[in-house]
Amino acid sequence: MDKPIGIIDSGYGGLTVATEMMRQLPKESIYYVGDSKRCPYGPRTVEEVRRFTWEMINHLLEYEVKMLVIACNTATAVVLQEAREKLAIPVVGVIQPGAISAMKVTNNQHIAVIGTSGTIKSNAYPYALEAISENVKVESLACPLFVPLVEQGIVAGEEAEGIVEESLAPIKDGQFDTLILGCTHYPLLKPLIEAYLPSHVNVISSGEETAREVSSVLFHQSLNRKAAEAPTHQFFTTGAAKPFEEFARKRLSLFPAKVESITFEHRLKIER
Amino acid sequence: MDKPIGIIDSGYGGLTVATEMMRQLPKESIYYVGDSKRCPYGPRTVEEVRRFTWEMINHLLEYEVKMLVIACNTATAVVLQEAREKLAIPVVGVIQPGAISAMKVTNNQHIAVIGTSGTIKSNAYPYALEAISENVKVESLACPLFVPLVEQGIVAGEEAEGIVEESLAPIKDGQFDTLILGCTHYPLLKPLIEAYLPSHVNVISSGEETAREVSSVLFHQSLNRKAAEAPTHQFFTTGAAKPFEEFARKRLSLFPAKVESITFEHRLKIER
């Protein structure tokens, strides 16, 4: 199956998933859509998140992607189940891989989750964890300032440190031994988060775990790319192409050859 | 789906997978068959491994298992593909989860694999790793003394240390940063293996990774057990029940309530 894998995200965050997929699955082609113009999704209504997410999915379906990765926790919480039911291709979200991995590493069955207000309100992580174990204790905390911070490219320095410390203060003395970064933007703040929390806390990054999950699904469904030629990657953003490219290069050492700025509204008009 | 998950192994080794499954998936019921009487499988012919493995699978199918875990690397190398084609339930082997996980943690794309002679000769790990990445470097080493050692319950002390050191000497100075324990018996020797190798080497245990993979497959196929009652576990061995029970209790802190000694020959006679 030489078709690309599609990734969608509210903005730059899913690039942490894309980076990990390129590292763990170097033969696969990746087509990415980031909705930077309308980011963050956290404070949006469920109906908006649903509509925006389907616009991105429909864009990627035109390229015949063989699998879809919803690399945004808010969108996963709202659309995953529906997308799995409606699409003929496998759909992987970012919530389950993080939850499964947390169950693997926790020793005291006490897990903390941080995410956007939307993800935390959806209770998607407690639900996923409790579906696996009755004895797990989950505490959740919304960190609404993290996404805007990362989208501005501020991932180190005093301002970022201050916001990380202030945001995490309510759970600092918690008894959890595992923290799930329940937002794909957060891995970019991982060094600051790890520095602030006690050193015994395992920090689970959605990006790494989702890439690992994608690898499993490719194998189980015999979808691994077998072509000898190098894979091709294509990035689309609803924002401007240049800052997207700069962000990818500077923050993630990704060198996206092609970044195309797209407008769903425009596309819809043409199609009608 | 309240049916049990089936696990088969050449002997005690798969108990490391069972232990991890009970920890990571505490709601699931597990039915286990260990072929201790004919262990180890490593030096057996492919035809023998094939026949013995199908005897175990057929035993578990009578209990209507909803998923099958081939928790033996030798049996996975020989039978996984065939079992996936012939059975209507999902089949998970131990090779792919270890390979996928190694790709996740390696930084230098140089991975070592140790296993039984059968597993190493099959080249199953290099094949699985190279299917994922062209640039991965794999070195393999057979450690034929490890399984008999573990089956005798010798997992610490001078004798075990000596055998671990002697067996691993050929790869001691390798440049790999990740070692796959390509045999489910080996996690019981993990402390000795880690003590002997340089501390920067990531040691990947099939048991943990396979349990994590099972968790993913349960979710993707909507097979998670939802019953409120506690799960039931049942252990079968072709050897004697007592040493099996003792091994599980002493080495893995497992307390198998029911261990039944079974004979495939006998069963076949009755069925005919």
Side-chain angles (χ1 to χ4, degrees), chain A residues 170-199:
Chain A
I171 56 166
K172 200 198 172 183
D173 300 317
Q175 297 304 304
F176 57 90
D177 70 354
T178 303
L179 173 77
I180 301 175
L181 303 182
C183 173
T184 49
H185 284 73
Y186 296 6
L188 288 149
L189 298 169
K190 196 177 175 191
L192 299 185
I193 293 167
E194 283 181 326
Y196 180 68
L197 292 176
S199 61

PDB file of all heavy atoms in Angstrom, chain A residues 170-199:
ATOM      1  N   PRO A 170      -1.329  23.259  40.603  1.00  0.00           N
ATOM      2  CA  PRO A 170      -2.398  22.535  41.311  1.00  0.00           C
ATOM      3  C   PRO A 170      -2.143  21.026  41.458  1.00  0.00           C
ATOM      4  O   PRO A 170      -2.713  20.393  42.350  1.00  0.00           O
ATOM      5  CB  PRO A 170      -3.635  22.765  40.433  1.00  0.00           C
ATOM      6  CG  PRO A 170      -3.337  23.984  39.630  1.00  0.00           C
ATOM      7  CD  PRO A 170      -1.858  24.003  39.432  1.00  0.00           C
ATOM      8  N   ILE A 171      -1.306  20.439  40.586  1.00  0.00           N
ATOM      9  CA  ILE A 171      -1.090  18.981  40.710  1.00  0.00           C
ATOM     10  C   ILE A 171       0.329  18.656  41.178  1.00  0.00           C
ATOM     11  O   ILE A 171       0.700  17.488  41.288  1.00  0.00           O
ATOM     12  CB  ILE A 171      -1.363  18.228  39.383  1.00  0.00           C
ATOM     13  CG1 ILE A 171      -0.510  18.785  38.220  1.00  0.00           C
ATOM     14  CG2 ILE A 171      -2.842  18.280  39.023  1.00  0.00           C
ATOM     15  CD1 ILE A 171      -0.498  17.867  37.000  1.00  0.00           C
ATOM     16  N   LYS A 172       1.099  19.672  41.497  1.00  0.00           N
ATOM     17  CA  LYS A 172       2.520  19.452  41.807  1.00  0.00           C
ATOM     18  C   LYS A 172       2.739  18.396  42.889  1.00  0.00           C
ATOM     19  O   LYS A 172       3.665  17.598  42.820  1.00  0.00           O
ATOM     20  CB  LYS A 172       3.156  20.766  42.248  1.00  0.00           C
ATOM     21  CG  LYS A 172       4.671  20.729  42.123  1.00  0.00           C
ATOM     22  CD  LYS A 172       5.354  21.803  42.924  1.00  0.00           C
ATOM     23  CE  LYS A 172       6.862  21.544  42.890  1.00  0.00           C
ATOM     24  NZ  LYS A 172       7.584  22.517  43.706  1.00  0.00           N
ATOM     25  N   ASP A 173       1.897  18.418  43.922  1.00  0.00           N
ATOM     26  CA  ASP A 173       2.114  17.498  45.031  1.00  0.00           C
ATOM     27  C   ASP A 173       1.264  16.238  44.930  1.00  0.00           C
ATOM     28  O   ASP A 173       1.111  15.500  45.910  1.00  0.00           O
ATOM     29  CB  ASP A 173       1.847  18.225  46.352  1.00  0.00           C
ATOM     30  CG  ASP A 173       2.781  19.415  46.513  1.00  0.00           C
ATOM     31  OD1 ASP A 173       3.983  19.250  46.197  1.00  0.00           O
ATOM     32  OD2 ASP A 173       2.326  20.497  46.928  1.00  0.00           O
ATOM     33  N   GLY A 174       0.737  15.959  43.736  1.00  0.00           N
ATOM     34  CA  GLY A 174      -0.093  14.772  43.542  1.00  0.00           C
ATOM     35  C   GLY A 174       0.712  13.480  43.695  1.00  0.00           C
ATOM     36  O   GLY A 174       1.930  13.477  43.605  1.00  0.00           O
ATOM     37  N   GLN A 175       0.001  12.382  43.933  1.00  0.00           N
ATOM     38  CA  GLN A 175       0.664  11.095  44.167  1.00  0.00           C
ATOM     39  C   GLN A 175       0.840  10.295  42.867  1.00  0.00           C
ATOM     40  O   GLN A 175       1.354   9.180  42.895  1.00  0.00           O
ATOM     41  CB  GLN A 175      -0.156  10.257  45.158  1.00  0.00           C
ATOM     42  CG  GLN A 175      -0.265  10.898  46.542  1.00  0.00           C
ATOM     43  CD  GLN A 175       1.104  11.195  47.146  1.00  0.00           C
ATOM     44  OE1 GLN A 175       1.941  10.310  47.287  1.00  0.00           O
ATOM     45  NE2 GLN A 175       1.358  12.467  47.463  1.00  0.00           N
ATOM     46  N   PHE A 176       0.416  10.858  41.732  1.00  0.00           N
ATOM     47  CA  PHE A 176       0.529  10.134  40.461  1.00  0.00           C
ATOM     48  C   PHE A 176       1.995   9.849  40.117  1.00  0.00           C
ATOM     49  O   PHE A 176       2.874  10.645  40.443  1.00  0.00           O
ATOM     50  CB  PHE A 176      -0.124  10.942  39.339  1.00  0.00           C
ATOM     51  CG  PHE A 176       0.435  12.329  39.157  1.00  0.00           C
ATOM     52  CD1 PHE A 176       1.494  12.546  38.296  1.00  0.00           C
ATOM     53  CD2 PHE A 176      -0.080  13.411  39.862  1.00  0.00           C
ATOM     54  CE1 PHE A 176       2.023  13.811  38.120  1.00  0.00           C
ATOM     55  CE2 PHE A 176       0.434  14.688  39.704  1.00  0.00           C
ATOM     56  CZ  PHE A 176       1.501  14.898  38.832  1.00  0.00           C
ATOM     57  N   ASP A 177       2.230   8.696  39.447  1.00  0.00           N
ATOM     58  CA  ASP A 177       3.600   8.384  38.992  1.00  0.00           C
ATOM     59  C   ASP A 177       3.713   8.505  37.473  1.00  0.00           C
ATOM     60  O   ASP A 177       4.770   8.257  36.903  1.00  0.00           O
ATOM     61  CB  ASP A 177       4.051   6.998  39.476  1.00  0.00           C
ATOM     62  CG  ASP A 177       3.319   5.852  38.789  1.00  0.00           C
ATOM     63  OD1 ASP A 177       2.360   6.102  38.011  1.00  0.00           O
ATOM     64  OD2 ASP A 177       3.693   4.693  39.021  1.00  0.00           O
ATOM     65  N   THR A 178       2.598   8.865  36.803  1.00  0.00           N
ATOM     66  CA  THR A 178       2.577   8.944  35.342  1.00  0.00           C
ATOM     67  C   THR A 178       1.739  10.149  34.925  1.00  0.00           C
ATOM     68  O   THR A 178       0.649  10.343  35.455  1.00  0.00           O
ATOM     69  CB  THR A 178       1.963   7.639  34.758  1.00  0.00           C
ATOM     70  OG1 THR A 178       2.740   6.527  35.243  1.00  0.00           O
ATOM     71  CG2 THR A 178       1.975   7.638  33.246  1.00  0.00           C
ATOM     72  N   LEU A 179       2.279  10.942  34.011  1.00  0.00           N
ATOM     73  CA  LEU A 179       1.549  12.106  33.505  1.00  0.00           C
ATOM     74  C   LEU A 179       1.381  11.956  32.001  1.00  0.00           C
ATOM     75  O   LEU A 179       2.357  11.764  31.268  1.00  0.00           O
ATOM     76  CB  LEU A 179       2.317  13.399  33.799  1.00  0.00           C
ATOM     77  CG  LEU A 179       1.735  14.673  33.160  1.00  0.00           C
ATOM     78  CD1 LEU A 179       0.503  15.155  33.936  1.00  0.00           C
ATOM     79  CD2 LEU A 179       2.779  15.801  33.098  1.00  0.00           C
ATOM     80  N   ILE A 180       0.135  12.021  31.525  1.00  0.00           N
ATOM     81  CA  ILE A 180      -0.115  11.986  30.086  1.00  0.00           C
ATOM     82  C   ILE A 180      -0.189  13.412  29.558  1.00  0.00           C
ATOM     83  O   ILE A 180      -0.970  14.222  30.058  1.00  0.00           O
ATOM     84  CB  ILE A 180      -1.445  11.270  29.764  1.00  0.00           C
ATOM     85  CG1 ILE A 180      -1.427   9.832  30.294  1.00  0.00           C
ATOM     86  CG2 ILE A 180      -1.708  11.273  28.255  1.00  0.00           C
ATOM     87  CD1 ILE A 180      -2.747   9.084  30.116  1.00  0.00           C
ATOM     88  N   LEU A 181       0.641  13.711  28.555  1.00  0.00           N
ATOM     89  CA  LEU A 181       0.527  14.991  27.866  1.00  0.00           C
ATOM     90  C   LEU A 181      -0.635  14.838  26.882  1.00  0.00           C
ATOM     91  O   LEU A 181      -0.457  14.350  25.768  1.00  0.00           O
ATOM     92  CB  LEU A 181       1.820  15.339  27.127  1.00  0.00           C
ATOM     93  CG  LEU A 181       3.097  15.387  27.974  1.00  0.00           C
ATOM     94  CD1 LEU A 181       4.295  15.786  27.106  1.00  0.00           C
ATOM     95  CD2 LEU A 181       2.957  16.340  29.140  1.00  0.00           C
ATOM     96  N   GLY A 182      -1.832  15.230  27.326  1.00  0.00           N
ATOM     97  CA  GLY A 182      -3.054  14.964  26.561  1.00  0.00           C
ATOM     98  C   GLY A 182      -3.315  16.017  25.494  1.00  0.00           C
ATOM     99  O   GLY A 182      -4.455  16.367  25.219  1.00  0.00           O
ATOM    100  N   CYS A 183      -2.264  16.486  24.862  1.00  0.00           N
ATOM    101  CA  CYS A 183      -2.362  17.461  23.773  1.00  0.00           C
ATOM    102  C   CYS A 183      -1.062  17.348  22.993  1.00  0.00           C
ATOM    103  O   CYS A 183       0.018  17.301  23.577  1.00  0.00           O
ATOM    104  CB  CYS A 183      -2.537  18.871  24.334  1.00  0.00           C
ATOM    105  SG  CYS A 183      -2.476  20.153  23.053  1.00  0.00           S
ATOM    106  N   THR A 184      -1.181  17.297  21.655  1.00  0.00           N
ATOM    107  CA  THR A 184       0.026  17.066  20.854  1.00  0.00           C
ATOM    108  C   THR A 184       0.937  18.292  20.791  1.00  0.00           C
ATOM    109  O   THR A 184       2.052  18.199  20.304  1.00  0.00           O
ATOM    110  CB  THR A 184      -0.353  16.621  19.418  1.00  0.00           C
ATOM    111  OG1 THR A 184      -1.328  17.520  18.900  1.00  0.00           O
ATOM    112  CG2 THR A 184      -0.912  15.214  19.446  1.00  0.00           C
ATOM    113  N   HIS A 185       0.454  19.430  21.263  1.00  0.00           N
ATOM    114  CA  HIS A 185       1.355  20.585  21.354  1.00  0.00           C
ATOM    115  C   HIS A 185       2.322  20.447  22.539  1.00  0.00           C
ATOM    116  O   HIS A 185       3.407  21.001  22.520  1.00  0.00           O
ATOM    117  CB  HIS A 185       0.563  21.887  21.557  1.00  0.00           C
ATOM    118  CG  HIS A 185      -0.122  22.402  20.317  1.00  0.00           C
ATOM    119  ND1 HIS A 185      -1.223  21.814  19.778  1.00  0.00           N
ATOM    120  CD2 HIS A 185       0.175  23.467  19.515  1.00  0.00           C
ATOM    121  CE1 HIS A 185      -1.618  22.505  18.699  1.00  0.00           C
ATOM    122  NE2 HIS A 185      -0.776  23.499  18.516  1.00  0.00           N
ATOM    123  N   TYR A 186       1.877  19.743  23.571  1.00  0.00           N
ATOM    124  CA  TYR A 186       2.623  19.758  24.831  1.00  0.00           C
ATOM    125  C   TYR A 186       4.012  19.124  24.784  1.00  0.00           C
ATOM    126  O   TYR A 186       4.882  19.519  25.568  1.00  0.00           O
ATOM    127  CB  TYR A 186       1.794  19.121  25.960  1.00  0.00           C
ATOM    128  CG  TYR A 186       0.513  19.853  26.331  1.00  0.00           C
ATOM    129  CD1 TYR A 186       0.060  20.958  25.616  1.00  0.00           C
ATOM    130  CD2 TYR A 186      -0.251  19.457  27.426  1.00  0.00           C
ATOM    131  CE1 TYR A 186      -1.117  21.619  25.957  1.00  0.00           C
ATOM    132  CE2 TYR A 186      -1.422  20.109  27.792  1.00  0.00           C
ATOM    133  CZ  TYR A 186      -1.848  21.189  27.042  1.00  0.00           C
ATOM    134  OH  TYR A 186      -3.015  21.831  27.390  1.00  0.00           O
ATOM    135  N   PRO A 187       4.269  18.123  23.919  1.00  0.00           N
ATOM    136  CA  PRO A 187       5.630  17.556  23.905  1.00  0.00           C
ATOM    137  C   PRO A 187       6.706  18.625  23.681  1.00  0.00           C
ATOM    138  O   PRO A 187       7.844  18.459  24.099  1.00  0.00           O
ATOM    139  CB  PRO A 187       5.592  16.557  22.741  1.00  0.00           C
ATOM    140  CG  PRO A 187       4.171  16.111  22.703  1.00  0.00           C
ATOM    141  CD  PRO A 187       3.371  17.341  23.057  1.00  0.00           C
ATOM    142  N   LEU A 188       6.331  19.726  23.030  1.00  0.00           N
ATOM    143  CA  LEU A 188       7.312  20.794  22.823  1.00  0.00           C
ATOM    144  C   LEU A 188       7.670  21.486  24.137  1.00  0.00           C
ATOM    145  O   LEU A 188       8.711  22.136  24.239  1.00  0.00           O
ATOM    146  CB  LEU A 188       6.770  21.805  21.803  1.00  0.00           C
ATOM    147  CG  LEU A 188       6.764  21.228  20.375  1.00  0.00           C
ATOM    148  CD1 LEU A 188       5.636  21.802  19.551  1.00  0.00           C
ATOM    149  CD2 LEU A 188       8.104  21.502  19.699  1.00  0.00           C
ATOM    150  N   LEU A 189       6.813  21.316  25.152  1.00  0.00           N
ATOM    151  CA  LEU A 189       7.116  21.880  26.473  1.00  0.00           C
ATOM    152  C   LEU A 189       7.617  20.809  27.439  1.00  0.00           C
ATOM    153  O   LEU A 189       7.798  21.062  28.631  1.00  0.00           O
ATOM    154  CB  LEU A 189       5.858  22.553  27.054  1.00  0.00           C
ATOM    155  CG  LEU A 189       5.282  23.739  26.264  1.00  0.00           C
ATOM    156  CD1 LEU A 189       3.912  24.126  26.806  1.00  0.00           C
ATOM    157  CD2 LEU A 189       6.239  24.936  26.333  1.00  0.00           C
ATOM    158  N   LYS A 190       7.845  19.582  26.920  1.00  0.00           N
ATOM    159  CA  LYS A 190       8.186  18.455  27.789  1.00  0.00           C
ATOM    160  C   LYS A 190       9.404  18.728  28.685  1.00  0.00           C
ATOM    161  O   LYS A 190       9.371  18.422  29.876  1.00  0.00           O
ATOM    162  CB  LYS A 190       8.416  17.199  26.934  1.00  0.00           C
ATOM    163  CG  LYS A 190       8.399  15.896  27.719  1.00  0.00           C
ATOM    164  CD  LYS A 190       8.554  14.697  26.784  1.00  0.00           C
ATOM    165  CE  LYS A 190       8.669  13.410  27.558  1.00  0.00           C
ATOM    166  NZ  LYS A 190       9.076  12.273  26.716  1.00  0.00           N
ATOM    167  N   PRO A 191      10.477  19.313  28.146  1.00  0.00           N
ATOM    168  CA  PRO A 191      11.631  19.555  29.021  1.00  0.00           C
ATOM    169  C   PRO A 191      11.264  20.426  30.230  1.00  0.00           C
ATOM    170  O   PRO A 191      11.690  20.138  31.355  1.00  0.00           O
ATOM    171  CB  PRO A 191      12.619  20.293  28.107  1.00  0.00           C
ATOM    172  CG  PRO A 191      12.235  19.894  26.712  1.00  0.00           C
ATOM    173  CD  PRO A 191      10.756  19.688  26.748  1.00  0.00           C
ATOM    174  N   LEU A 192      10.428  21.452  30.021  1.00  0.00           N
ATOM    175  CA  LEU A 192      10.025  22.325  31.130  1.00  0.00           C
ATOM    176  C   LEU A 192       9.099  21.585  32.100  1.00  0.00           C
ATOM    177  O   LEU A 192       9.188  21.759  33.317  1.00  0.00           O
ATOM    178  CB  LEU A 192       9.317  23.579  30.598  1.00  0.00           C
ATOM    179  CG  LEU A 192      10.121  24.499  29.673  1.00  0.00           C
ATOM    180  CD1 LEU A 192       9.319  25.744  29.329  1.00  0.00           C
ATOM    181  CD2 LEU A 192      11.440  24.889  30.326  1.00  0.00           C
ATOM    182  N   ILE A 193       8.213  20.767  31.551  1.00  0.00           N
ATOM    183  CA  ILE A 193       7.270  20.020  32.389  1.00  0.00           C
ATOM    184  C   ILE A 193       8.028  19.006  33.246  1.00  0.00           C
ATOM    185  O   ILE A 193       7.802  18.890  34.450  1.00  0.00           O
ATOM    186  CB  ILE A 193       6.203  19.311  31.500  1.00  0.00           C
ATOM    187  CG1 ILE A 193       5.317  20.369  30.824  1.00  0.00           C
ATOM    188  CG2 ILE A 193       5.374  18.327  32.311  1.00  0.00           C
ATOM    189  CD1 ILE A 193       4.430  19.834  29.700  1.00  0.00           C
ATOM    190  N   GLU A 194       8.967  18.293  32.631  1.00  0.00           N
ATOM    191  CA  GLU A 194       9.752  17.294  33.378  1.00  0.00           C
ATOM    192  C   GLU A 194      10.613  17.965  34.454  1.00  0.00           C
ATOM    193  O   GLU A 194      10.798  17.425  35.542  1.00  0.00           O
ATOM    194  CB  GLU A 194      10.634  16.486  32.421  1.00  0.00           C
ATOM    195  CG  GLU A 194       9.832  15.441  31.666  1.00  0.00           C
ATOM    196  CD  GLU A 194      10.671  14.590  30.717  1.00  0.00           C
ATOM    197  OE1 GLU A 194      11.645  15.120  30.137  1.00  0.00           O
ATOM    198  OE2 GLU A 194      10.335  13.411  30.547  1.00  0.00           O
ATOM    199  N   ALA A 195      11.137  19.142  34.130  1.00  0.00           N
ATOM    200  CA  ALA A 195      11.991  19.840  35.100  1.00  0.00           C
ATOM    201  C   ALA A 195      11.181  20.282  36.315  1.00  0.00           C
ATOM    202  O   ALA A 195      11.691  20.299  37.439  1.00  0.00           O
ATOM    203  CB  ALA A 195      12.652  21.049  34.439  1.00  0.00           C
ATOM    204  N   TYR A 196       9.899  20.593  36.107  1.00  0.00           N
ATOM    205  CA  TYR A 196       9.077  21.108  37.201  1.00  0.00           C
ATOM    206  C   TYR A 196       8.524  19.987  38.089  1.00  0.00           C
ATOM    207  O   TYR A 196       8.384  20.155  39.297  1.00  0.00           O
ATOM    208  CB  TYR A 196       7.933  21.946  36.635  1.00  0.00           C
ATOM    209  CG  TYR A 196       7.023  22.536  37.685  1.00  0.00           C
ATOM    210  CD1 TYR A 196       7.480  23.529  38.551  1.00  0.00           C
ATOM    211  CD2 TYR A 196       5.707  22.094  37.820  1.00  0.00           C
ATOM    212  CE1 TYR A 196       6.648  24.074  39.523  1.00  0.00           C
ATOM    213  CE2 TYR A 196       4.868  22.631  38.789  1.00  0.00           C
ATOM    214  CZ  TYR A 196       5.339  23.617  39.636  1.00  0.00           C
ATOM    215  OH  TYR A 196       4.518  24.148  40.588  1.00  0.00           O
ATOM    216  N   LEU A 197       8.211  18.826  37.509  1.00  0.00           N
ATOM    217  CA  LEU A 197       7.603  17.730  38.277  1.00  0.00           C
ATOM    218  C   LEU A 197       8.675  16.852  38.931  1.00  0.00           C
ATOM    219  O   LEU A 197       9.825  16.853  38.506  1.00  0.00           O
ATOM    220  CB  LEU A 197       6.720  16.874  37.356  1.00  0.00           C
ATOM    221  CG  LEU A 197       5.455  17.551  36.816  1.00  0.00           C
ATOM    222  CD1 LEU A 197       4.744  16.616  35.849  1.00  0.00           C
ATOM    223  CD2 LEU A 197       4.518  17.953  37.963  1.00  0.00           C
ATOM    224  N   PRO A 198       8.295  16.084  39.981  1.00  0.00           N
ATOM    225  CA  PRO A 198       9.275  15.177  40.600  1.00  0.00           C
ATOM    226  C   PRO A 198       9.861  14.215  39.558  1.00  0.00           C
ATOM    227  O   PRO A 198       9.157  13.805  38.627  1.00  0.00           O
ATOM    228  CB  PRO A 198       8.441  14.414  41.636  1.00  0.00           C
ATOM    229  CG  PRO A 198       7.216  15.227  41.879  1.00  0.00           C
ATOM    230  CD  PRO A 198       6.969  16.010  40.639  1.00  0.00           C
ATOM    231  N   SER A 199      11.120  13.854  39.732  1.00  0.00           N
ATOM    232  CA  SER A 199      11.821  13.099  38.689  1.00  0.00           C
ATOM    233  C   SER A 199      11.275  11.676  38.484  1.00  0.00           C
ATOM    234  O   SER A 199      11.500  11.065  37.446  1.00  0.00           O
ATOM    235  CB  SER A 199      13.320  13.032  39.001  1.00  0.00           C
ATOM    236  OG  SER A 199      13.497  12.355  40.233  1.00  0.00           O
TER     237      SER A 199
END
